[in-house]
Each structure stands twice: as structure tokens, then as C-alpha cells.
Amino acid sequence: MYENKEIVNNKEANISNKLWPGRFSVAPMLDWTDRHCRYFHRLLSQQTLLYTEMVTTGAIIHGKGNYLAYSEEEHPVALQLGGSDPQALAHCAKIAQERGYDEINLNVGCPSDRVQNGRFGACLMGDAKLVADCVKAMQDVVSVPVTVKTRIGIDEQDSYEFLCDFIDTVMHHSGCNIFTIHARKAWLSGLSPKENREIPPLDYPRVYQLKKDFPQLTIAINGGIKSLEEAKLHLQHVDGVMVGREVYQNPAILAQVDHELFDASMPVVDTVAVVRALYPYIAQELSQGTYLGHITRHILGIFQGIPGARQWRRHLSENAHKPGADISVVEQALAMVTERM
């Protein structure tokens, strides 16, 4: 959990602050960063800030599932909320804090049609005052940080002045001082969510400039970052780096994060040992009716680039969904890697 509120409410530029969990974080990714994924990622890094998938206020208030389930081992863990009704967001934020989440994040970046129809996500960039009202409503009922993840612009509203006005309005009307900026604008129509992650050009310098112009804010950067070397370059300009698909597809990156970005005295994690450390969790989940494949789909990329990785992926993909599949499937797949080491 956040051990020191001064870290996240610091009024001075804190680019060198290695104590803030958001110095490196795994992005919220729909259908990917579920509780099984987050448990696995935590085994790889003790310091990284983990985000849930985006959860809508409607799902929490009216849904029948336990959308806020997580394991205590996941801390520090942040809940990303989707919504635009300040009262509903405040209600959900309060529940999330009671459940033990370390941060509440408002999604102002997702461009999908489904999200827009609910009037939340990236379309909210067009109404900065409403975003401020939403954040303020949540801050009034929780003591954990309330943060915003957004884009650098939407549609034709993509000037630097527009971005500054948005940030300034949200900051001054809500007191929010932590923003994660996806360094692309979003097209609200004409592009799929996948295309919106790839086609609009990245503009990292714009995010760097935002940090210079708002030094009192804590700014994390997101979008297209593929290595820790790139992360280190960004950290010369901003406070934090958020990585999404690259970490999911190549989770071994996380094994080096604590050593490289937080504390050089911390060891690089052994990925084989991490897989074995996952066994008790798998056994517990299987005993509760979870299918093996729901867990192993998140670990397919752990040995990317290592001899035996293809056999590892194939064995898990072909066998984890079979009736009665258990830890022996993972052990057999792991042997295909370890015997070649």
C-alpha cells in the first residue's frame, strides 16, 4: 500500500522519487489484467503498481458478480473505474476503499463505442469540469489517492493548449494531482480501440512539456513503451511509466523492474522460480472451481526468447482447457523449458 501520503501529494517535482509505486505500473487492460494476471505479476515484481481492468460503476452497483475481487498479495493495487456520474463514482470509490484498494483511477482514455455510449472514457476529455466533479466527489469520500488516466487529446481537440486547459481545470476544481497520460490522442469515431492504440502518433515530448509546465503534479507516461531502457529514458522527464501490452506479452520484463527502477540491491527474479511459486495459488483456485486455462493464459509469454518457450506455450494452450487439467500440465510444460537450460 502507499506508505506515505506525502509521496503522492508532493507539491514539488518528484521525478527522482523511487518510493512512489507508480514509478512503474502495469496498465489496466480489459480482459487481461484480471485478478489471476495481477497475482502472477506480483510474484515477478514487489514494487510495480498493478491496475485492475476498467470496472464500470454500473457493474459494481447493479452487477451480480464480485467485480472487486483480488488477493491481498496484489498490493499495491489500484481500481480503475469507468463512469461519469459523480454520485455513482463516489459510491463505488467508497466501496473500493473499504475493500482495501490503494488507489482509485478514473478512466478518461478509453475510446471504444461501448464506453462512449455510457458517456465515459476518452469522450470525457471534452468536459473537463465534469471530470473534475467526478474526481472531487470521490475525493470527498475516500482517503486513498484518486487519479486520472487520460489521452493528450480527442478528435480535432488535440492542441497542447487543449491538454493544458483540461489538466488545469481538473486540477483546480478537484485538487487531483496525479495524472497518467497516454501520449496519443483518441479518435472517438472511425477507429477501433486497437487502431486507437496504434494509428494516432505518439507524442512523448508533449507529456514531458506538461510535466515542465505543471511541476507540482505527479505525471506518468503511457503508450508504446517496450523496454526498461525506454522506461529509464522517460523517467528523466516524468515521474512514472505505465506499460501495458508489452508487459503482458513479455512478463519477464517485470522480473527486472524492482532491481532496475526501484532498488539496485533487490535481485532480478528467477522466472522459473516464479512459475513454481504460482503452484499454491493454482491449487487453491482449482479447488474453488477455477479452470486452469483461466490462470495459465496469463503466463504464456514468461519465457519469451528462451529455448523451449514455443513448446511451453503450445503445451499449455493445448492442455490447460481440458477437463480435469491441473498443476501437472504446468509442470510438464515447465520441463520443456528447464531441460534446455
Side-chain angles (χ1 to χ4, degrees):
M1 301 179 71
Y2 292 159
E3 296 296 335
N4 187 343
K5 290 295 288 288
E6 293 180 359
I7 293 171
V8 293
N9 293 320
N10 188 6
K11 297 302 181 183
E12 303 296 330
N14 56 355
I15 288 176
S16 63
N17 192 342
K18 292 188 177 183
L19 297 178
W20 180 48
R23 181 173 171 80
F24 191 87
S25 62
V26 177
M29 292 176 281
L30 197 61
D31 296 326
W32 286 10
T33 52
D34 63 17
R35 62 189 182 90
H36 305 310
C37 175
R38 297 192 305 269
Y39 189 96
F40 170 57
H41 284 173
R42 179 58 68 220
L43 291 175
L44 288 160
S45 169
Q46 293 299 302
Q47 302 298 320
T48 297
L49 177 59
L50 303 178
Y51 282 83
T52 68
E53 306 168 88
M54 182 189 69
V55 184
T56 66
T57 54
I60 295 172
I61 296 171
H62 305 295
K64 296 181 180 179
N66 185 2
Y67 293 97
L68 299 183
Y70 72 96
S71 301
E72 286 297 319
E73 292 84 354
E74 293 175 34
H75 292 294
V77 59
L79 170 68
Q80 186 181 68
L81 285 175
S84 59
D85 181 294
Q87 287 186 320
L89 285 163
H91 177 66
C92 293
K94 188 173 182 181
I95 293 173
Q97 176 171 273
E98 291 170 351
R99 294 288 293 270
Y101 279 93
D102 301 301
E103 174 189 316
I104 313 298
N105 177 264
L106 180 64
N107 184 319
V108 190
C110 182
S112 78
D113 292 338
R114 182 168 63 89
V115 165
Q116 288 183 61
N117 290 337
R119 205 191 171 208
F120 53 91
C123 65
L124 284 176
M125 280 201 84
D127 194 341
K129 183 59 169 60
L130 176 58
V131 173
D133 290 344
C134 290
V135 173
K136 181 67 164 57
M138 290 188 280
Q139 287 182 329
D140 285 346
V141 297
V142 301
S143 58
V144 298
V146 178
T147 67
V148 170
K149 183 174 188 290
T150 189
R151 296 274 185 140
I152 59 173
I154 50 172
D155 295 338
E156 302 301 334
Q157 296 175 290
D158 62 353
S159 68
Y160 182 65
E161 290 71 24
F162 170 77
L163 177 61
C164 287
D165 287 345
F166 173 82
I167 297 294
D168 189 65
T169 298
V170 175
M171 176 182 68
H172 279 107
H173 286 86
S174 73
C176 180
N177 59 5
I178 305 177
F179 293 83
T180 297
I181 312 294
H182 186 155
R184 287 185 175 95
K185 78 172 182 178
W187 286 102
L188 298 182
S189 60
L191 295 181
S192 69
K194 181 177 185 297
E195 291 170 330
N196 257 305
R197 292 191 300 269
E198 299 170 351
I199 293 177
L202 286 159
D203 192 346
Y204 296 137
R206 184 171 297 193
V207 183
Y208 300 165
Q209 188 62 47
L210 193 70
K211 176 63 186 180
K212 289 181 180 178
D213 292 337
F214 294 87
Q216 75 274 32
L217 296 180
T218 298
I219 303 288
I221 196 168
N222 171 234
I225 301 164
K226 297 185 180 299
S227 71
L228 293 189
E229 290 307 310
E230 290 180 34
K232 289 176 182 179
L233 294 175
H234 288 303
L235 287 169
Q236 296 176 19
H237 304 278
V238 294
D239 305 292
V241 172
M242 175 182 280
V243 182
R245 277 151 181 80
E246 188 65 28
V247 161
Y248 188 88
Q249 293 162 355
N250 183 18
I253 289 174
L254 285 176
Q256 305 176 56
V257 165
D258 295 357
H259 175 81
E260 294 288 336
L261 300 184
F262 287 92
D263 184 350
S265 69
M266 300 183 77
V268 174
V269 177
D270 182 340
T271 52
V272 171
V274 163
V275 172
R276 290 179 174 142
L278 192 61
Y279 288 176
Y281 178 82
I282 293 174
Q284 179 183 1
E285 287 295 319
L286 293 180
S287 71
Q288 296 173 357
T290 301
Y291 290 106
L292 180 64
H294 291 171
I295 302 172
T296 56
R297 70 188 183 98
H298 301 300
I299 67 177
L300 293 176
I302 186 63
F303 298 119
Q304 188 177 126
I306 293 176
R310 183 178 300 176
Q311 291 84 351
W312 154 267
R313 291 192 301 269
R314 181 187 300 127
H315 189 81
L316 289 179
S317 298
E318 292 178 353
N319 295 284
H321 292 279
K322 292 181 178 178
D326 58 19
I327 291 174
S328 65
V329 172
V330 184
E331 291 179 319
Q332 292 159 8
L334 187 61
M336 297 173 182
V337 176
T338 57
E339 68 187 12
R340 301 183 65 176
M341 285 183 169

